[in-house]
Amino acid sequence: MCGIVGYVGQEQAAPILLEGLSKLEYRGYDSAGVAVYADQKGTLEVHKAKGRLQVLSDLLQGGASVHGCVGIGHTRWATHGAPSDVNSHPQVSRSGRIAVVHNGIIENYAELKAFLMEQGVPFTSETDTEVVAQLIEHFYDGDILQAVGRVLRRIEGAYALGILCADAPDQIIAVRKDSPLILGYGKDCSFLASDVTAIIRHTRDVVYMDDGEVAVLRRDGIQCYNHLMQPIEKEISHVDWEIDAAEKGGYEHFMFKEIMEQPEALRRCIFPRIRDGEVYLEDFALSEEYIRNIEKIYIVACGSSYHVGMVGKYNLERLTRKPVEVALASEFRYMDPIVSADTLVIVISQSGETLDTMAALREAKRLGATILSIVNVVGSSIARESDMVLYTWAGPEIAVATTKAYSTQMAVMDLLALYFARVLGTVAEEEYQAAIRELLLLPAKMETILADKDDIQYYASQYFNHNSVFFIGRNVDYAMGLEGSLKLKEISYIHSEAYASGELKHGTISLIESGTLVVALASYQKLFEKSMNNVVEVKSRGADVLALTTESRREEMGKVANAVIAIPDTHDLLLPSLGVVPLQLFAYYVALMRGCDIDKPRNLAKSVTVE
Ligand code: F6R
């Protein structure tokens, strides 16, 4: 979703802004723009262009044609007003002396716009952001910080703002509420960004702004203020991941790179949490007594993170015998959930910024639940508002379609299920030890799947022309199918559905006809025979079946399916962690063969910060 970059320093700002914006392209956008204080003229120079960032960059000769050392940049993902040059950010006030970049939505913009129009303020765009720029100018009487403060008391909604004022040419004002914003401390320069990847080439010393905070960035430092505009000191965090982690490093696509990085990500996530055959969870503040008294567990998330929750439900219930409900975050807060102090709410989010997930978290907190979040982005909003965080340590995930974050979320869910089961005494010693052994072997087993990626590429070449695909499975295979189906549809644009195999005959089987591709997932040993029956069932209606099972069942499955992908045998708990990898590769290769924009699929954003 939209990205913000800001720079105040001694170097030419525009090339730095464009380079920073290029690192935020993965978030999804449809237009881009920059505003730079043009020091010779005492004015703000604004350039905007619909389409890829390259269009803007070409227009500005990579930034070389724009002079000035203070500026803000933006990649926009349209919400209010179609993608166009005029609706792109920065948005400027009527005099052109205030420029604003904005992520989020100003909910009461219509009312504020009407008020300003009554005062004779003309509007040029359809955006809610222009209202902010015009309102700042309306209140401005020589003190820009005070004018911003007055605007903040009037606007409602979610926003991260970067503000330039032509009369204060040495500074940028930053504001954050419900939309991420990071401040960077460089040598004789300061930065502003929606995400660390945009500024990591310049500094690793960052401050995560909190809701309601305002900051004034200057070349020689940054002053932060609380919501009452009182000066505050913020703790500086050091980002410790390598720059390479956010680069393609020779791969054609981030998605492929991230698929291949999964074994390493799992080692980082799992190994430090297992010592002497026991699970250890760092910073874990849930007492044994609390765990014993948990009445109900809710898992709340969106998209692929929700699919992790689906697998997590099966595994948690099986190992702990505690009731677990999985809810889509976008539904949770409107469904009047039954939550009390004895409810544990597990929130799963890669970005830690998904608005629906955040809103669900707040609702659960309001109702008295304890919040444990499983998050990838350190210092993100969800991480900071939770009672406890288990980080996935997957490293930066750039491709819109999640892969390594999904796998590490799943690993954390498994560790958690084992930890709870140990405390509750609901897992036999032998099973616990077997699961731990297999968890430690998981990265190596995944490597063997990745080494056979050419087989998956072959299957993709056989099926990439299909227009409709069904994923079927039972229990954890069904949950895994939901993810396989989502991966395929989001990057290859092929319509696909995931069905619980047993449910097919209640309607959907009428869609199966000669040549329909069915990806039958049958890794879960306890239900293997039943899954085989479902393969026979769809085959007899003419389906072409690509089955996925374990090595030990390959031969058996080969007797009924048209083709079989086999994953190494492992503990039941971990089957979806291995099984999802061929599905990710299948989606990737199919999308590649169809010529799709794999890392940035149409209409999608990496971090969904609108409802
Ligand atoms: C799909 C995908 C999305 C995200 C969803 C939640 O590949 O990435 O479905 O899983 O938007 O995002 P997070 O986990 O950041 O809350």
Side-chain angles (χ1 to χ4, degrees):
M1 208 135 277
C2 312
I4 289 179
V5 183
Y7 172 77
V8 196
Q10 289 167 301
E11 291 176 44
Q12 200 178 353
I16 296 174
L17 298 175
L18 290 171
E19 191 246 358
L21 291 177
S22 74
K23 305 293 174 215
L24 298 180
E25 279 187 281
Y26 76 94
R27 296 165 67 94
Y29 71 103
D30 45 51
S31 49
V34 294
V36 173
Y37 178 72
D39 28 18
Q40 303 307 317
K41 303 182 221 152
T43 54
L44 298 176
E45 205 177 311
V46 180
H47 301 276
K48 311 194 280 189
K50 182 185 161 190
R52 288 288 187 219
L53 185 61
Q54 196 57 47
V55 178
L56 180 71
S57 184
D58 290 347
L59 202 71
L60 308 180
Q61 293 156 12
S65 66
V66 183
H67 299 282
C69 303
V70 179
I72 49 180
H74 191 261
T75 44
R76 172 174 187 253
W77 198 81
T79 53
H80 293 61
S84 70
D85 290 358
V86 92
N87 286 335
S88 308
H89 300 194
Q91 288 290 323
V92 290
S93 60
R94 63 192 297 191
S95 69
R97 300 191 68 75
I98 311 277
V100 174
V101 288
H102 166 217
N103 291 356
I105 288 179
I106 306 299
E107 282 166 5
N108 59 338
Y109 87 102
E111 174 194 319
L112 294 169
K113 188 169 180 174
F115 161 76
L116 287 164
M117 286 174 82
E118 271 169 29
Q119 318 287 311
V121 177
F123 278 79
T124 51
S125 80
E126 300 159 80
T127 64
D128 50 343
T129 307
E130 188 182 353
V131 172
V132 179
Q134 303 282 20
L135 202 58
I136 294 174
E137 179 157 306
H138 175 79
F139 287 125
Y140 179 56
D141 59 5
D143 184 339
I144 184 65
L145 195 57
Q146 198 182 58
V148 169
R150 292 179 73 181
V151 169
L152 296 184
R153 287 197 288 278
R154 282 161 181 83
I155 56 176
E156 290 163 16
Y159 44 84
L161 301 169
I163 302 160
L164 280 189
C165 172
D167 298 340
D170 58 343
Q171 69 179 40
I172 302 173
I173 296 179
V175 180
R176 181 214 146 112
K177 182 176 166 279
D178 292 339
S179 196
L181 209 49
I182 290 158
L183 306 169
Y185 292 72
K187 190 167 176 332
D188 295 326
C189 57
S190 303
F191 297 87
L192 176 67
S194 329
D195 163 334
V196 176
T197 45
I199 56 173
I200 184 124
R201 290 199 158 271
H202 305 283
T203 179
R204 288 167 173 279
D205 293 326
V206 301
V207 154
Y208 299 98
M209 288 182 77
D210 282 304
D211 274 349
E213 289 178 356
V214 176
V216 178
L217 291 79
R218 294 199 180 85
R219 211 169 80 187
D220 56 1
I222 302 176
Q223 178 62 58
C224 296
Y225 300 87
N226 65 14
H227 67 287
L228 299 171
M229 288 292 187
Q230 294 158 332
I232 50 169
E233 290 298 319
K234 299 276 294 177
E235 193 188 330
I236 297 182
S237 308
H238 190 73
V239 178
D240 58 5
W241 47 262
E242 295 304 319
I243 295 174
D244 292 357
E247 306 282 339
K248 273 192 206 155
Y251 289 95
E252 201 182 334
H253 296 103
F254 277 112
M255 182 181 178
F256 191 65
K257 173 178 179 253
E258 288 160 8
I259 290 175
M260 299 306 283
E261 279 174 355
Q262 290 179 105
E264 220 23 68
L266 283 176
R267 287 189 178 98
R268 269 200 308 276
C269 171
I270 299 171
F271 288 9
R273 288 166 167 148
I274 296 181
R275 293 198 293 278
D276 302 324
E278 286 291 337
V279 175
Y280 288 89
L281 299 175
E282 76 285 349
D283 302 329
F284 202 66
L286 290 183
S287 68
E288 297 198 353
E289 191 193 348
Y290 176 86
I291 295 171
R292 271 190 280 277
N293 289 335
I294 291 174
E295 272 183 5
K296 179 177 180 180
I297 299 174
Y298 257 118
I299 305 179
V300 181
C302 301
S304 294
S305 299
Y306 169 79
H307 297 156
V308 170
M310 291 278 290
V311 177
K313 171 188 163 71
Y314 287 116
N315 288 344
L316 262 174
E317 284 190 337
R318 195 151 58 81
L319 283 178
T320 67
R321 308 310 302 152
K322 294 273 186 195
V324 181
E325 202 167 321
V326 199
L328 289 165
S330 52
E331 291 291 316
F332 180 84
R333 68 170 152 153
Y334 301 118
M335 71 189 201
D336 202 1
I338 302 171
V339 168
S340 70
D342 293 329
T343 310
L344 174 67
V345 174
I346 302 176
V347 171
I348 309 177
S349 175
Q350 186 284 129
S351 61
E353 302 293 348
T354 303
L355 192 123
D356 284 324
T357 311
M358 180 58 137
L361 180 160
R362 287 182 179 159
E363 175 64 2
K365 226 175 170 180
R366 190 185 68 78
L367 295 169
T370 300
I371 315 289
L372 164 61
S373 64
I374 299 176
V375 172
N376 191 37
V377 178
V378 176
S380 54
S381 309
I382 289 176
R384 282 179 295 142
E385 291 204 16
S386 302
D387 296 305
M388 268 155 298
V389 191
L390 290 172
Y391 282 111
T392 49
W393 305 123
E397 191 177 65
I398 307 294
V400 164
T402 182
T403 52
K404 61 176 181 172
Y406 174 93
S407 290
T408 48
Q409 285 168 350
M410 193 101 93
V412 173
M413 279 302 304
D414 294 335
L415 287 161
L416 192 66
L418 285 166
Y419 183 89
F420 279 4
R422 192 65 155 172
V423 170
L424 295 166
T426 45
V427 61
E429 178 68 22
E430 207 176 309
E431 180 170 13
Y432 181 78
Q433 290 307 332
I436 297 277
R437 265 196 311 278
E438 284 299 319
L439 257 174
L440 292 171
L441 288 173
L442 193 62
K445 289 193 174 181
M446 197 178 272
E447 272 159 356
T448 67
I449 300 174
L450 293 170
D452 287 340
K453 58 185 182 310
D454 293 355
D455 295 349
I456 312 291
Q457 189 170 15
Y458 169 75
Y459 294 129
S461 73
Q462 300 300 295
Y463 296 117
F464 78 98
N465 268 330
H466 280 67
N467 289 323
S468 176
V469 180
F470 285 90
F471 288 75
I472 60 169
R474 289 169 178 271
N475 198 273
V476 286
D477 283 325
Y478 165 52
M480 183 165 83
L482 289 168
E483 178 60 7
S485 170
L486 179 63
K487 284 282 91 77
L488 186 69
K489 69 184 123 196
E490 69 180 325
I491 60 166
S492 75
Y493 314 143
I494 295 177
H495 171 256
S496 88
E497 306 242 7
Y499 257 82
S501 306
E503 188 64 14
L504 271 184
K505 57 187 170 296
H506 298 289
T508 316
I509 202 161
S510 65
L511 291 172
I512 308 285
E513 55 187 11
S514 177
T516 305
L517 175 59
V518 173
V519 180
L521 308 171
S523 69
Y524 189 52
Q525 301 298 310
K526 287 191 187 107
L527 297 173
F528 180 77
E529 278 72 24
K530 289 196 189 300
S531 296
M532 284 270 284
N533 292 342
N534 293 121
V535 171
V536 174
E537 188 177 52
V538 292
K539 267 211 79 182
S540 66
R541 268 95 183 156
D544 203 347
V545 177
L546 173 61
L548 183 147
T549 187
T550 55
E551 275 299 346
S552 60
R553 303 285 198 163
R554 183 199 280 270
E555 216 181 303
E556 230 173 313
M557 184 54 94
K559 291 180 188 147
V560 292
N562 298 77
V564 182
I565 298 168
I567 56 169
D569 285 86
T570 185
H571 190 281
D572 276 357
L573 191 71
L574 307 176
L575 286 165
S577 295
L578 292 180
V580 77
V581 177
L583 304 184
Q584 295 168 344
L585 285 168
F586 184 72
Y588 173 78
Y589 286 124
V590 166
L592 194 64
M593 286 165 200
R594 291 169 72 98
C596 300
D597 189 352
I598 293 181
D599 284 337
K600 296 184 216 90
R602 66 184 181 211
N603 306 337
L604 290 178
K606 181 67 181 161
S607 165
V608 185
T609 48
V610 291
E611 189 171 357

